[in-house]
């Protein structure tokens, strides 16, 4: 099926040349993800902007192609989005991969990972970066605006 081939080349492309690869300095929060079953290890950096949006996010690490591609595609898909929207996409992505639903259009190019459904043992590879994202978003942000004593 042609779509399969397109998706496969997209996964390989993101695995070889991951987007948003690198670190962010504080006050960006960071979280770690580790998948012992496969050896995937990633560190995610998230900086929130005004109005609770995800202003910037990057990741580093060493992981298999599925895990790298999922993290890379995730950063592309949720950068600039409100935190609430990102968490909604996370739930949709994980629910779709673990249940009967197809990956919906809101997930964009992440639908390239739909094939993972046929390989349940690789599910953790595909969802690792998303769990790290949720953890990062639940951490308190850096210095909060206003409030504190100044000068
Ligand atoms: Zn893996």
């Amino acid at each position: 099926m042609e779509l399969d081939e397109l998706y496969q080349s997209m996964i390989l492309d993101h695995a070889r040349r991951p987007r948003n690869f690198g670190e962010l300095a504080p006050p960006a929060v960071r979280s770690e993800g580790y998948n012992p079953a496969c050896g995937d290890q990633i560190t995610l950096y998230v900086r929130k902007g005004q109005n609770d949006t995800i202003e910037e996010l990057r990741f580093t690490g060493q992981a298999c192609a599925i895990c790298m591609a999922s993290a890379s595609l995730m950063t592309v898909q949720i950068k600039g989005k409100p935190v609430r929207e990102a968490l909604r996409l996370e739930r949709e992505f994980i629910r779709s991969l673990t249940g009967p639903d197809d990956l919906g259009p809101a997930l964009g190019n992440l639908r390239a990972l739909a094939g993972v459904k046929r390989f349940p043992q690789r599910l953790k590879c595909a969802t690792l970066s998303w769990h790290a994202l949720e953890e990062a978003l639940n951490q308190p942000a850096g210095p909060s605006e206003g409030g504190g004593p100044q000068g």
Side-chain angles (χ1 to χ4, degrees), residues 1-9 102 111 114-115 118:
M1 188 177 161
E2 282 174 27
L3 196 61
D4 265 356
E5 283 171 29
L6 174 74
Y7 281 170
Q8 215 162 55
S9 67
D102 285 333
R111 284 176 293 175
R118 296 196 297 265

Side-chain angles (χ1 to χ4, degrees), residues 35 38 40 64 67 122 125:
N35 171 21
C38 182
D40 304 318
C64 69
C67 186
R122 306 305 296 276
C125 303

Side-chain angles (χ1 to χ4, degrees), residues 2 7 11 14 16 27 44 47 55 59 63 68 77 81 91 97 117 119-121 134 137 139:
E2 282 174 27
Y7 281 170
I11 287 172
H14 277 262
R16 285 179 190 141
L44 189 72
R47 191 172 72 222
E55 186 176 75
F59 74 101
M68 282 301 248
Q77 194 65 22
K81 285 204 161 54
R91 282 191 295 273
L97 279 189
K117 290 176 85 149
F119 305 95
Q121 71 275 22
E134 185 176 355
L137 292 178
Q139 287 178 33

Side-chain angles (χ1 to χ4, degrees), residues 27-33 43-48 52 83 87 131-143:
V29 296
R30 73 178 243 182
S31 68
E32 315 260 346
T43 305
L44 189 72
Y45 301 83
V46 181
R47 191 172 72 222
K48 287 189 209 171
D52 224 20
V83 167
L87 289 172
H131 290 303
L133 172 73
E134 185 176 355
E135 194 194 311
L137 292 178
N138 285 329
Q139 287 178 33

